[in-house]
């Protein structure tokens, strides 16, 4: 090995070490989260236009742990995955369940929490989440949700009319007006949101919860395929807020039951 080659190799080693040090020190400065603000208690807007809710508090806690700035981008739920791919934001934090279909398009963080899926119907209607009970009836769902996918696959082929809506507020409005016989939705969202409000006083969660591979194993943050740095950073931040009790404090503000993932 001549002096020139030896010197070149030493220079390359120093450059690689410097690059590693820089990578170790580099951190994510900002995360743009997509949310659908028609879905309390996960996310909604105050009369003053401020975003509030469980997912908002969770995202802010993750950003605080990461020492990064949170930026919230409002988006309709059914358009979030295409918009994520188009880089209109960095991540989806909007009660999005992990499903096999979504995993073909995007990545997810570790599961964050798990809420149940259930029907809402008028009190005394005796409606159950079965084909026999729902045949000839009309069920509303929000577009792009696991509830829509399940209802279209399991109920619609057997005489149940499934009506997708652009946002949850529209679904609930048509249930109250009588255009729908039932709504298929997130049970936690219904129990703390719609059913707690005056317009929900004549309605209730109907029948048992639905568990199915279409529904998925829980909720996580959606990410672009291959965005491993953001995934790792968010996973580590979530592990820390679980360990230090921050996640538990946040969930108790919104839910009467424990929605954390049980190990």
């Amino acid at each position: 090995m001549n002096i020139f080659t030896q010197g070149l190799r030493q220079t390359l080693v120093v450059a690689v070490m410097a690059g590693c040090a820089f990578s170790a020190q580099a951190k994510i400065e900002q995360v743009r989260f997509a949310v659908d603000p028609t879905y309390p208690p996960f996310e909604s807007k105050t009369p003053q236009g401020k975003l509030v809710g469980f997912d908002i508090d969770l995202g802010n806690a993750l950003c605080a742990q990461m020492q990064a700035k949170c930026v919230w981008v409002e988006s309709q739920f059914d358009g979030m995955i295409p918009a994520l791919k188009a880089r209109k934001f960095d991540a989806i934090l909007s009660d999005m369940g992990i499903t096999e279909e979504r995993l073909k398009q995007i990545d997810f963080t570790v599961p964050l929490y798990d809420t149940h899926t259930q029907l809402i119907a008028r009190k005394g209607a005796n409606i159950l989440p079965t084909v026999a009970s729902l045949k000839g009836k009309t069920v509303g769902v929000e577009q792009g949700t696991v509830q829509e996918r399940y209802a279209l696959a399991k109920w619609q082929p057997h005489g149940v009319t499934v009506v997708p809506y652009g946002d949850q507020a529209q679904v609930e409005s048509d249930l109250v007006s009588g255009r729908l016989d039932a709504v298929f939705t997130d049970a936690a969202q219904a129990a703390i949101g719609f059913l707690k409000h005056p317009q929900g006083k004549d309605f209730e969660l109907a029948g048992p919860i639905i568990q199915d591979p279409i529904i998925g194993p829980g909720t996580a943050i959606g990410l672009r395929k291959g965005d491993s740095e953001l995934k790792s950073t968010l996973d580590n931040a979530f592990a820390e807020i679980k360990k230090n009790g921050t996640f538990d404090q946040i969930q108790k503000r919104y839910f009467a039951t424990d929605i954390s993932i049980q190990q």
Side-chain angles (χ1 to χ4, degrees), residues 2 24 34 46 59 64 69 96 102 117 143-144 154-155 159 164 172 187 202 211 214 219 224 232 245 252 263:
N2 61 37
T46 66
K69 179 183 178 182
M96 180 171 279
R102 287 174 180 154
T117 294
Q143 289 175 355
K154 301 288 188 175
W155 295 338
E172 293 164 359
D202 296 326
Q211 293 180 310
I214 293 176
T219 295
R224 279 186 293 276
S232 175
K252 285 178 178 177
Q263 302 298 330

Side-chain angles (χ1 to χ4, degrees), residues 91-140:
I92 299 170
L93 180 48
S94 192
D95 193 32
M96 180 171 279
I98 304 166
T99 66
E100 289 183 7
E101 190 65 29
R102 287 174 180 154
L103 283 167
K104 294 174 185 176
Q105 301 185 68
I106 62 173
D107 288 339
F108 284 94
T109 61
V110 294
L112 307 180
Y113 56 88
D114 187 16
T115 55
H116 299 306
T117 294
Q118 217 163 346
L119 282 175
I120 310 172
R122 194 170 292 275
K123 292 177 180 177
N126 298 318
I127 290 178
L128 297 173
T130 64
V131 168
S133 180
L134 293 173
K135 188 173 183 178
K137 294 183 170 60
T138 303
V139 178

Side-chain angles (χ1 to χ4, degrees), residues 68-81:
K69 179 183 178 182
C70 264
V71 176
W72 299 99
V73 181
E74 296 178 31
S75 176
Q76 280 199 324
F77 191 84
D78 65 335
M80 285 183 177
I81 289 178

Side-chain angles (χ1 to χ4, degrees), residues 122-188:
R122 194 170 292 275
K123 292 177 180 177
N126 298 318
I127 290 178
L128 297 173
T130 64
V131 168
S133 180
L134 293 173
K135 188 173 183 178
K137 294 183 170 60
T138 303
V139 178
V141 291
E142 185 175 3
Q143 289 175 355
T145 61
V146 292
Q147 289 85 10
E148 179 192 26
R149 188 171 293 113
Y150 181 92
L152 291 174
K154 301 288 188 175
W155 295 338
Q156 183 163 272
H158 304 286
V160 182
T161 301
V162 177
V163 183
Y165 289 78
D167 64 60
Q168 188 67 15
Q170 292 176 334
V171 189
E172 293 164 359
S173 176
D174 273 9
L175 178 65
V176 172
S177 71
R179 294 187 186 93
L180 298 172
D181 297 297
V183 167
F184 193 40
T185 189
D186 186 297

Side-chain angles (χ1 to χ4, degrees), residues 207-240:
I209 64 173
I210 296 293
Q211 293 180 310
D212 189 272
I214 293 176
I215 304 297
T219 295
I221 298 172
L223 304 167
R224 279 186 293 276
K225 284 284 187 184
D227 199 346
S228 56
E229 183 180 4
L230 182 55
K231 172 177 166 51
S232 175
T233 304
L234 285 167
D235 284 348
N236 291 337
F238 182 67
E240 286 301 315

Side-chain angles (χ1 to χ4, degrees), residues 38-58:
T38 70
Y39 209 65
F42 294 96
E43 54 254 11
S44 59
K45 291 175 93 168
T46 66
Q48 295 74 36
K50 181 182 179 183
L51 285 167
V52 294
F54 173 76
D55 282 337
I56 307 300
D57 289 356
L58 177 57

